[in-house]
Amino acid sequence: MKNSILILILLVSGFSLQAQSTTDTTIVVNGVCGMCKNTIEKAAKIEGVSFAEWNVESLELKLKFDPALTDLEKINNSVVASGYDTEFKTASDSSYYSLSPCCYYRDPNNSHKKQ
């Protein structure tokens, strides 16, 4: 009887740990300012994403997501649709030019852009 209870506890614990698995990854996203940070992070936080933090200095977007609910391609597509190029895709001109002019990271004369 004790062995049956122990096996049941281990099985329940195993299912619980499997259900909580997440994937951690980092992708490069172009941007230049705090407004970019807000837009990029908001775009990345689709269903299944528990953490999204973009760094304006390194241009790295750190992500934690549940692979049972979403994948990197969906997150990437959401960021690109918001107007930002990633290391995998380029945003369309229409979504890029919908950004505030201070966020035009492709403009070499943008004063927010680091040289």
Side-chain angles (χ1 to χ4, degrees):
M1 180 69 176
K2 287 182 182 179
N3 286 342
S4 296
I5 293 173
L6 180 61
I7 290 172
L8 181 62
I9 290 172
L10 290 174
L11 284 173
V12 171
S13 297
F15 286 121
S16 178
L17 289 173
Q18 185 178 15
Q20 295 176 355
S21 69
T22 60
T23 298
D24 295 356
T25 192
T26 301
I27 64 172
V28 175
V29 181
N30 288 315
V32 291
C33 64
M35 189 181 295
C36 297
K37 176 179 175 63
N38 291 337
T39 304
I40 291 165
E41 290 175 356
K42 184 177 177 181
K45 288 183 181 171
I46 62 175
E47 182 181 359
V49 176
S50 59
F51 179 82
E53 183 177 86
W54 182 73
N55 183 298
V56 69
E57 298 295 327
S58 67
L59 305 181
E60 292 179 340
L61 175 63
K62 294 183 178 183
L63 299 162
K64 289 185 182 185
F65 62 93
D66 183 343
L69 298 174
T70 192
D71 57 38
L72 188 56
E73 184 175 354
K74 290 178 184 171
I75 300 166
N76 189 65
N77 287 342
S78 181
V79 172
V80 169
S82 73
Y84 291 91
D85 297 347
T86 71
E87 64 185 293
F88 304 112
K89 283 188 174 180
T90 300
S92 69
D93 285 346
S94 63
S95 61
Y96 173 75
Y97 286 111
S98 69
L99 299 172
S100 173
C102 75
C103 298
Y104 287 169
Y105 53 88
R106 295 177 189 166
D107 180 359
N109 297 319
N110 184 330
S111 62
H112 294 278
K113 189 170 185 167
K114 305 227 183 273
Q115 301 303 323

